[in-house]
Amino acid sequence: MILKRLTLLLSFITTCSFAQTPNQIQPYTYSQYQKLYKSTYDVKTRSHTSLLPYFKEDSLTYILHDSLLRYGVDTNKKKFIPRKLFNEHLIDVKKEDFTAYADFLPDFTVGRDFKTGKNLWLNTRGFQIGGTVGDKFSFYTSGYENQAVFADYLERYINTNEVVPGQAYDRSFGKRTKDWSYVSANISYTPVKYLNIQLGQDKTFIGDGYRSLLLSDYASNYPFLKLTANLGNVQYMSMWSYMSDPRANRFSYDTGYRKKWGIFHYLDWNVTDRLSLGFFDSIILSDRDDQGNKRGFDFSYVSPIVFLRPVEASNGSPDNALIGFTAKYELLKWLTVYGQFSLDEFEADNFFAGEGSSRNKFGYQIGVKGFNLLKIENLNFLVEFNSVRPYTYTGRAPIINYAHFNEPLAHPMGANFNELLGILSYSWKRFDFEQELVYARYGLDGGLINYGKDIYRSWLYPAQLTGNFIGQGIKTNFYFSNTRASFLINPKYNLRLETELTLRRESNAQIIRNNSIISFGLRSSFRNLYKDF
């Protein structure tokens, strides 16, 4: 409750006055951050690259961020309208101890799915406000009012989960035109150069890949308190968050959706100029017991440096623990290999027996990424493989699974899948081009039988105790291709003209679903909107 009230106070404060300086957080989007590969993955910088979003002053990225955001500025242009349209914030105030900016963020698209004959559109009106006070305090907020008609696969997802993917609760109650709001806010305070304190309603991404098997930015925003320490070669993060579970049985209308806490720790260590290793642990706990008695926050987890799993075990193992590891090695000047391993449950006998126990709950990722492919400036790429065993991220009860507001906190496909994806990006002046290809194979749950795909089903009732394998259940093949081209109008708030061609196919013995979508739009935002699942 205290954290929720502080977040509401944050939202109020951040709508009053604001700006942009080196202390500020740069909102994370893959398409923008991949332009930083050359700087962040250079062995000379020894950057901490796996905790996102970045601080602008970290790892020499401020210079590049500033260059990116100021790209195309023509100091000879003196007229107000050309400056505001192509190079500047709508409102931009710069004082000695105070800076502030504000922008209107339109996001309008029209399109058509030629396989289903459905016309599609998105109508979003948004804003962003940011700023700093002095050299230790910064803040940012953005908000969007949205209406849209989505492709049929997204419409089914929204009707089932009651949430627009990664954004917010759908107010349409099953209608064809979806209606929702999306708000983010962040206050950042750096009392000393080694420590940053954040309070916000937003997301955190951990990893060097496009997906994360530890903590991703896929699910909706949640309120959090985050401490980040930077001690040279070591970066350490502790975060306490407050999440919701609309699927869990409500004890009364007055208590609203069931709530749960998430505690996350992550340490990133630059061992050498080329090698980085990371350790992650987390706990998910419900704020009420099964009888509806209020439990509140468990102060056993309040220490920012404690190992969470032993504490959870000493409490009688009432909660859901997840640990993980990350690694990154800069193989060549332009090429980096990276990986992750997430471990949801470990029982040595089952883990090493190789019998496909339902208690073997883990996933791994391996990938390569680089810049200036074939020595072509600004041609960046990523190739990644993700694999997650059945029943990973599930809990003894759904309320303590690894999810928030009906969506996974890690990979959008949940569990019981293999996925191979590749992304090729190229930038030339104000033009951006991107091609994404995804192939996945997974097993869907069949009716009442729990094959381990749906992380909202309890691991206590698997389809079988042994003999489990990735893809069990209704074997499904998934293909996805997205080709995007855009022209950047104003880099300060990512205003661009954009066109996309999306091809999607999902098939198994029961269904074949095809989508062939083309869209055009005037877009502006700093947020990831995932639809590749």
Side-chain angles (χ1 to χ4, degrees):
M1 180 60 69
I2 294 175
L3 184 59
K4 187 174 182 181
R5 289 176 178 174
L6 287 174
T7 305
L8 292 174
L9 177 62
L10 158 70
S11 299
F12 171 77
I13 294 173
T14 52
T15 56
C16 297
S17 55
F18 308 90
Q20 188 166 10
T21 69
N23 273 336
Q24 201 166 15
I25 297 294
Q26 175 67 25
Y28 171 62
T29 64
Y30 175 82
S31 60
Q32 292 292 319
Y33 271 50
Q34 60 85 22
K35 296 179 180 181
L36 306 178
Y37 284 178
K38 186 175 181 178
S39 172
T40 54
Y41 289 90
D42 188 331
V43 295
K44 297 178 182 179
T45 67
R46 303 198 71 175
S47 302
H48 294 289
T49 59
S50 54
L51 180 60
L52 308 174
Y54 293 149
F55 298 102
K56 291 184 180 177
E57 72 275 18
D58 272 1
S59 310
L60 302 182
T61 57
Y62 171 59
I63 296 174
L64 191 55
H65 272 303
D66 190 59
S67 175
L68 178 68
L69 293 172
R70 290 166 55 85
Y71 177 81
V73 172
D74 184 353
T75 57
N76 294 321
K77 288 184 177 179
K78 302 298 184 181
K79 293 184 179 180
F80 179 83
I81 293 179
R83 291 202 327 267
K84 294 300 178 184
L85 182 59
F86 296 108
N87 298 303
E88 296 182 358
H89 292 293
L90 181 62
I91 299 173
D92 199 352
V93 178
K94 294 180 180 179
K95 303 293 183 180
E96 183 176 352
D97 293 323
F98 172 80
T99 61
Y101 69 91
D103 295 298
F104 171 68
L105 303 180
D107 201 348
F108 308 130
T109 66
V110 294
R112 183 172 177 83
D113 187 338
F114 290 97
K115 290 294 185 180
T116 63
K118 187 176 182 180
N119 292 323
L120 314 173
W121 53 268
L122 169 68
N123 179 359
T124 294
R125 295 82 58 207
F127 71 89
Q128 69 171 2
I129 302 172
T132 61
V133 177
D135 59 358
K136 296 182 178 181
F137 181 81
S138 67
F139 37 83
Y140 178 85
T141 185
S142 63
Y144 305 86
E145 277 294 325
N146 316 266
Q147 291 80 39
V149 171
F150 289 105
D152 55 355
Y153 77 96
L154 289 173
E155 184 175 340
R156 283 192 300 271
Y157 178 96
I158 296 168
N159 290 342
T160 300
N161 297 288
E162 300 180 337
V163 59
V164 178
Q167 296 190 65
Y169 174 73
D170 169 39
R171 297 188 296 248
S172 71
F173 302 104
K175 296 179 181 177
R176 182 179 182 185
T177 299
K178 305 306 177 185
D179 185 1
W180 73 100
S181 300
Y182 178 91
V183 177
S184 67
N186 190 300
I187 286 179
S188 174
Y189 177 60
T190 307
V192 293
K193 68 177 183 178
Y194 305 106
L195 177 66
N196 176 264
I197 304 170
Q198 292 180 60
L199 179 66
Q201 171 104 1
D202 212 332
K203 309 176 185 183
T204 295
F205 185 100
I206 292 177
D208 288 282
Y210 175 70
R211 309 285 201 191
S212 176
L213 304 185
L214 302 179
L215 182 61
S216 78
D217 64 336
Y218 175 67
S220 303
N221 289 343
Y222 44 81
F224 66 84
L225 173 65
K226 184 193 300 184
L227 308 180
T228 305
N230 288 281
L231 303 172
N233 294 337
V234 175
Q235 183 182 60
Y236 183 76
M237 181 274 290
S238 290
M239 182 171 71
W240 300 263
S241 60
Y242 198 47
M243 301 179 179
S244 300
D245 187 354
R247 290 194 192 187
N249 292 330
R250 297 167 65 170
F251 295 111
S252 73
Y253 182 83
D254 293 334
T255 59
Y257 293 135
R258 295 282 299 278
K259 300 294 191 298
K260 56 186 179 183
W261 292 89
I263 300 95
F264 308 90
H265 295 164
Y266 180 64
L267 184 146
D268 183 48
W269 175 32
N270 288 337
V271 183
T272 69
D273 288 346
R274 295 180 180 271
L275 176 65
S276 296
L277 300 176
F279 173 76
F280 172 85
D281 68 345
S282 68
I283 290 288
I284 303 295
L285 62 148
S286 172
D287 69 346
R288 291 178 183 267
D289 62 23
D290 294 338
Q291 287 72 46
N293 300 312
K294 194 166 184 178
R295 178 184 175 188
F297 180 76
D298 190 334
F299 282 89
S300 300
Y301 303 123
V302 75
S303 173
I305 56 175
V306 70
F307 288 100
L308 295 172
R309 179 63 184 94
V311 174
E312 193 262 350
S314 68
N315 288 342
S317 296
D319 307 315
N320 188 10
L322 179 79
I323 66 172
F325 305 91
T326 65
K328 175 192 73 175
Y329 187 77
E330 297 178 17
L331 191 64
L332 301 171
K333 180 180 179 181
W334 55 275
L335 181 67
T336 298
V337 296
Y338 62 89
Q340 289 186 352
F341 180 74
S342 61
L343 181 59
D344 192 6
E345 187 165 354
F346 179 78
E347 290 183 336
D349 293 342
N350 288 323
F351 192 85
F352 295 109
E355 297 178 350
S357 169
S358 61
R359 306 293 291 273
N360 285 351
K361 298 162 29 181
F362 63 87
Y364 68 90
Q365 173 190 93
I366 186 168
V368 295
K369 64 195 303 184
F371 58 89
N372 295 354
L373 181 64
L374 303 176
K375 297 184 178 181
I376 300 174
E377 190 75 16
N378 299 324
L379 181 60
N380 300 337
F381 69 95
L382 176 148
V383 178
E384 181 176 294
F385 178 76
N386 297 292
S387 179
V388 178
R389 283 190 55 80
Y391 310 107
T392 306
Y393 306 120
T394 61
R396 183 183 62 260
I399 186 64
I400 57 171
N401 70 343
Y402 202 66
H404 162 59
F405 216 96
N406 293 349
E407 295 183 301
L409 284 170
H411 197 291
M413 292 183 184
N416 193 17
F417 70 87
N418 288 319
E419 176 193 48
L420 178 65
L421 65 88
I423 303 175
L424 187 67
S425 307
Y426 177 64
S427 299
W428 179 71
K429 295 186 177 181
R430 289 181 180 249
F431 291 93
D432 289 316
F433 305 92
E434 184 176 283
Q435 175 65 58
E436 177 188 4
L437 297 173
V438 180
Y439 169 70
R441 187 165 189 178
Y442 45 80
L444 296 174
D445 296 324
L448 298 178
I449 302 177
N450 179 12
Y451 287 108
K453 179 72 167 63
D454 185 354
I455 67 174
Y456 272 88
R457 293 189 171 190
S458 171
W459 56 260
L460 293 175
Y461 309 103
Q464 52 196 10
L465 294 176
T466 59
N468 296 282
F469 59 91
I470 295 176
Q472 66 182 12
I474 303 173
K475 296 179 176 60
T476 304
N477 291 303
F478 173 83
Y479 304 89
F480 182 88
S481 170
N482 188 74
T483 305
R484 180 177 61 85
S486 64
F487 175 77
L488 187 63
I489 298 173
N490 191 318
K492 288 296 187 181
Y493 50 100
N494 201 21
L495 180 66
R496 63 200 186 276
L497 294 171
E498 184 173 282
T499 182
E500 281 187 317
L501 174 63
T502 301
L503 305 175
R504 182 185 184 275
R505 178 182 173 87
E506 184 181 25
S507 61
N508 55 44
Q510 299 180 7
I511 56 98
I512 297 177
R513 292 169 175 159
N514 291 304
N515 300 94
S516 180
I517 303 167
I518 189 169
S519 64
F520 305 89
L522 175 68
R523 315 205 64 182
S524 177
S525 69
F526 294 99
R527 53 179 179 160
N528 283 323
L529 302 176
Y530 293 100
K531 54 187 177 182
D532 48 358
F533 57 89

